[in-house]
Amino acid sequence: MIDKIKSIKTNLELASLQLDKKSARVAIFRLIVFFAALVSFIVGFKNHLIILVILGAILAVVFISLVRYHAIIDERILEYKAKVGVLNRYIMRLSDRWKRFEDTGAEFLDDKDTLSRDLDLLGKNSLFQFISIAHTDAGRKKLAESLSLKNFDIKNISRRYEAITELSQKTEFLVDFEALSERIVSKREHAMSKLMTSDVDGEDENGSENNSENSSENSSEKKRIQDDTLPVWMYPLMIIIPLMNIASIVSVLIFDANPIRIIFTFILGVAATWGTMGYHNVIAENLYNYGAGAKDLQSMLKILSDQSFDSELLKKVHERTASRDGLLSSLNSLGTIATLDNMAFNPLVHLILSGFFAWDYFIDFLMAGWNKKNKGVIEECVDIVGDIEELGSLAVLSYVRNTSRPEIIMDNKDLTISFTGLYHPLLNMETVISNDSDIKDKLTIITGSNMSGKTTYMRTIAINMVLAYTGSGVCADHFKATFMKLFTSMRVMDDVAGGISTFYAEILRIKEMSEYVSSIDGDVDKNIDNDKYKVPALCLIDEIFKGTNSADRIVGAREALSKLSSSNAMVIVTTHDFELCDITTADGESARNCHFEEFYVGDELKFDYKLREGRCTTRNAMALLKMAGLVQN
């Protein structure tokens, strides 16, 4: 699959290079035509030579056509480069270079979302950063909610897996879809730069307002302009400005009037058009937001509607696209208006069209009609795109990692987590170590040397369970687990402003686990296929109570772990305190002991990151201190 991606990327780069050369040639020819038209107009008007004026007009039309042709070439270059960027990101995911991706999803990381922080689901070097192909706000938000388990339905796992798997088999579709999505966002940002710092509602760019009375009135005016019609004064100006310029040109050519008259009427046209730019910015808001990318948005929905899907979820998304009358045609008409507006994107062309034809007024007229006819279209289209981006992001994992379908057990009678070849999706495939295990004990104590892999092992289990709950494939040869609510206590931080120490912060985490376990004790619903159900808990605790002294830590840990490991919870905990290895559960069962260990090659400390049965019998703290030069022997 990656070899195919590399081949497609190379071909697109060559095609893009050829178009770059063509674009340069057209740009030079366009410049020559412009100066030829300018000279023809100046000489023609100065000497009253109608033939040169006509030639200038023809050259002006040729110039505008070349501007449009050049824009088409540049559009194709952007298309190729966007696809190359998408393919390059797939390749970067094979190594640690994916950590350079700018979009980390950090803005969706809530302070209370300890699961996402502990498991690197959102934020820097996170699962979101690794797999996201979402560029729209809707798609990014949906992906963040899925990964943080804020928006998932256990009954939907199977349907989501089928949809995600189907998308993973449609490589070209996903690449084209992401490239178009990225272009829409970049074009939107570019188009928004056209907006002026002032607005008709009296607010500046930083949100400062005039007095509330004027602000309220102008807000009503803004809504009226957007929802109803153009200001009344704009209609006559759409006619007067072009006629005024035509009359000036005719008077100079036929009646030998002073050519300054043309410049004068031209300046009046520019002043009238640009002086009311605030109204234009309001009326053309949808145009600036999505008009430049309307053709891309239409293309996205077109390739979506042209696809045939087998999975239930994708069929529903497809039906939303194909069944609604006028959805694609609405985008097409918005794209046409955007094309006309783009003709004036060049500052010089915009100046000419504004002065002679009041160009922006005609754009406003078209947009006012579009806004009235197509309420809610953009929102629906963006929501459809967001659905595909979210599912497609999860499908990306299967391109760059070896995945398999997880088995989620809905029967809570016997809690279990069983896997072979399980590994962490965010670690480099060239160095990552997989593990096998069959966890059925209510309490598992993991001991081991520093840096030997204890915490990573717990995160590996948990992040793969998250993937399984989202409907994605998991990074394992085989994975089976009872459906359990996930609790973690790993990256516990103090809160100086709130007066909470690290130790107390961890107490609060474990208290939350304990309260949940107590609330479901003896009351777990064996049939969870309903709207309201209670499920067992999986509690993952790293270095329990590390923020206090060893004596209190051992006593507190014994009590807490005994209470947590009830019949309705499974607990996995790491510790350096060997005294905890003899702990028993609330039911009197002995804890299972596992460990990681180190070995030495000469004086060099090494780890194999493999889980072994039994408690750890080695230590490496002094070796690490010696390596750091803090002790001599």
Side-chain angles (χ1 to χ4, degrees):
M1 181 63 72
I2 292 299
D3 290 337
K4 179 182 178 181
I5 287 175
K6 289 180 178 179
S7 175
I8 296 173
K9 175 174 174 282
T10 301
N11 292 335
L12 286 171
E13 286 174 335
L14 291 174
S16 179
L17 184 61
Q18 293 174 352
L19 282 177
D20 277 330
K21 294 177 180 178
K22 187 175 184 179
S23 176
R25 291 195 297 269
V26 172
I28 293 173
F29 184 53
R30 184 183 69 177
L31 186 63
I32 293 172
V33 170
F34 170 76
F35 281 112
L38 185 63
V39 170
S40 297
F41 277 127
I42 293 174
V43 175
F45 281 115
K46 184 176 181 180
N47 297 291
H48 302 285
L49 298 174
I50 297 178
I51 188 67
L52 284 181
V53 174
I54 294 174
L55 177 61
I58 293 173
L59 289 174
V61 172
V62 173
F63 171 74
I64 293 174
S65 299
L66 286 173
V67 169
R68 177 58 188 150
Y69 182 57
H70 191 253
I72 292 173
I73 295 174
D74 285 347
E75 184 76 8
R76 182 58 61 86
I77 292 173
L78 285 175
E79 177 186 341
Y80 287 169
K81 288 184 176 179
K83 288 183 180 180
V84 168
V86 170
L87 294 168
N88 192 50
R89 286 194 289 273
Y90 277 90
I91 296 170
M92 292 175 71
R93 290 183 177 101
L94 295 175
S95 65
D96 288 336
R97 290 190 298 158
W98 63 268
K99 295 178 181 179
R100 303 175 190 173
F101 296 168
E102 292 183 4
D103 189 9
T104 66
E107 67 266 40
F108 302 110
L109 187 56
D110 192 293
D111 288 340
K112 297 180 180 179
D113 188 1
T114 56
L115 186 72
S116 293
R117 290 185 183 278
D118 285 351
L119 303 183
D120 297 309
L121 302 178
L122 302 172
K124 188 177 180 180
N125 300 335
S126 66
L127 184 60
F128 182 101
Q129 185 179 8
F130 180 57
I131 66 173
S132 177
I133 65 169
H135 297 277
T136 67
D137 292 340
R140 296 176 65 251
K141 182 179 180 182
K142 289 183 179 186
L143 177 61
E145 289 177 346
S146 291
L147 293 181
S148 57
L149 302 182
K150 293 177 181 176
N151 184 25
F152 89 105
D153 183 356
I154 186 62
K155 296 178 292 184
N156 218 21
I157 289 179
S158 180
R159 288 191 291 268
R160 285 178 58 84
Y161 181 83
E162 291 170 1
I164 291 166
T165 301
E166 186 172 4
L167 282 177
S168 70
Q169 298 166 358
K170 296 180 179 291
T171 308
E172 293 184 7
F173 169 76
L174 271 188
V175 171
D176 290 347
F177 201 87
E178 182 184 358
L180 288 167
S181 175
E182 185 176 21
R183 287 170 62 195
I184 289 171
V185 174
S186 63
K187 286 180 179 179
R188 178 185 178 185
E189 292 173 352
H190 192 197
M192 289 300 289
S193 67
K194 293 177 67 177
L195 291 174
M196 299 177 67
T197 56
S198 61
D199 205 350
V200 296
D201 60 0
E203 297 183 8
D204 64 22
E205 196 173 44
N206 296 318
S208 60
E209 300 179 358
N210 294 327
N211 64 68
S212 58
E213 183 179 349
N214 288 338
S215 177
S216 176
E217 290 176 359
N218 287 324
S219 251
S220 299
E221 176 68 3
K222 177 176 179 179
K223 188 176 188 305
R224 187 188 69 77
I225 292 172
Q226 286 178 317
D227 296 343
D228 272 338
T229 184
L230 299 178
V232 175
W233 50 262
M234 194 174 284
Y235 290 101
L237 286 179
M238 291 171 62
I239 301 172
I240 290 172
I241 292 174
L243 288 179
M244 181 176 63
N245 282 286
I246 292 172
S248 296
I249 293 172
V250 169
S251 67
V252 171
L253 290 176
I254 297 178
F255 301 108
D256 201 24
N258 192 329
I260 296 295
R261 179 175 295 186
I262 296 176
I263 298 176
F264 178 73
T265 54
F266 172 78
I267 292 174
L268 285 178
V270 171
T273 307
W274 289 14
T276 57
M277 190 62 72
Y279 286 95
H280 174 70
N281 291 341
V282 174
I283 298 166
E285 186 173 348
N286 274 329
L287 184 67
Y288 286 140
N289 281 333
Y290 293 102
K295 293 292 186 182
D296 292 327
L297 188 55
Q298 181 190 17
S299 296
M300 293 178 78
L301 298 184
K302 182 67 166 58
I303 63 174
L304 178 59
S305 63
D306 288 344
Q307 287 285 322
S308 58
F309 296 105
D310 297 322
S311 60
E312 182 181 343
L313 289 184
L314 291 179
K315 281 182 177 179
K316 288 182 178 179
V317 177
H318 181 270
E319 287 171 4
R320 290 177 63 193
T321 307
S323 63
R324 169 157 178 180
D325 295 333
L327 193 63
L328 293 177
S329 62
S330 296
L331 293 175
N332 184 56
S333 59
L334 181 62
T336 301
I337 300 173
T339 300
L340 294 173
D341 185 56
N342 257 351
M343 291 175 62
F345 199 77
N346 181 290
L348 181 59
V349 176
H350 188 208
L351 180 69
I352 294 171
L353 291 175
S354 296
F356 283 116
F357 304 107
W359 189 257
D360 289 345
Y361 289 170
F362 289 92
I363 297 296
D364 293 341
F365 175 77
L366 295 173
M367 277 308 301
W370 191 92
N371 289 335
K372 183 181 292 186
K373 182 180 178 181
N374 299 288
K375 292 182 185 298
V377 165
I378 293 295
E379 290 77 7
E380 182 171 358
C381 292
V382 170
D383 190 63
I384 290 171
V385 169
D387 285 340
I388 297 297
E389 285 184 318
E390 185 259 331
L391 293 171
S393 295
L394 292 166
V396 163
L397 192 65
S398 64
Y399 286 98
V400 293
R401 296 291 185 265
N402 298 319
T403 61
S404 63
R405 181 168 190 168
E407 180 183 351
I408 303 300
I409 304 171
M410 301 303 181
D411 183 0
N412 299 317
K413 184 177 180 181
D414 296 311
L415 305 186
T416 182
I417 304 175
S418 176
F419 50 82
T420 58
L422 184 74
Y423 65 95
H424 199 293
L426 301 184
L427 296 181
N428 195 314
M429 286 294 290
E430 295 181 0
T431 57
V432 69
I433 302 297
S434 63
N435 270 286
D436 306 338
S437 192
D438 188 8
I439 307 172
K440 296 183 182 299
D441 300 85
K442 299 296 174 57
L443 177 59
T444 300
I445 307 291
I446 301 177
T447 51
S449 306
N450 297 287
M451 301 177 6
S452 60
K454 302 185 299 297
T455 306
T456 300
Y457 174 78
M458 287 201 302
R459 287 198 178 111
T460 300
I461 294 174
I463 198 170
N464 276 285
M465 291 190 75
V466 168
L467 287 172
Y469 292 172
T470 64
S472 171
V474 295
C475 296
D477 297 328
H478 166 77
F479 186 88
K480 178 174 69 174
T482 304
F483 178 63
M484 293 179 279
K485 182 176 176 64
L486 299 178
F487 290 93
T488 59
S489 178
M490 297 179 183
R491 289 195 178 105
V492 182
M493 300 172 61
D494 61 1
D495 180 2
V496 177
I500 297 177
S501 67
T502 302
F503 176 55
Y504 188 62
E506 186 178 3
I507 288 176
L508 294 178
R509 292 262 195 117
I510 294 178
K511 178 186 177 185
E512 181 185 6
M513 300 178 191
S514 177
E515 288 176 346
Y516 179 84
V517 171
S518 298
S519 72
I520 64 171
D521 190 26
D523 192 28
V524 173
D525 196 328
K526 297 299 188 292
N527 177 22
I528 67 172
D529 191 22
N530 52 56
D531 293 332
K532 295 181 179 179
Y533 52 83
K534 293 182 178 180
V535 298
L538 173 62
C539 304
L540 303 162
I541 306 172
D542 185 36
E543 302 290 352
I544 187 167
F545 296 145
K546 54 184 172 290
T548 190
N549 64 80
S550 58
D552 289 342
R553 177 169 61 247
I554 293 169
V555 173
R558 284 183 179 277
E559 292 294 328
L561 294 177
S562 177
K563 186 174 183 179
L564 285 175
S565 55
S566 70
S567 59
N568 295 325
M570 180 178 281
V571 182
I572 302 176
V573 60
T574 67
T575 183
H576 286 289
D577 297 313
F578 294 150
E579 293 88 343
L580 297 180
C581 292
D582 297 325
I583 196 172
T584 58
T585 68
D587 300 330
E589 299 178 6
S590 297
R592 178 189 180 185
N593 279 277
C594 300
H595 73 279
F596 290 88
E597 62 185 37
E598 79 286 347
F599 62 95
Y600 293 86
V601 177
D603 291 333
E604 188 176 359
L605 185 64
K606 297 284 187 178
F607 303 97
D608 63 9
Y609 305 110
K610 283 291 188 180
L611 184 72
R612 293 174 171 82
E613 290 295 326
R615 66 183 67 182
C616 180
T617 58
T618 61
R619 303 172 187 267
N620 69 359
M622 291 304 294
L624 292 173
L625 290 169
K626 183 179 179 181
M627 289 169 59
L630 298 178
V631 295
Q632 299 301 316
N633 297 302

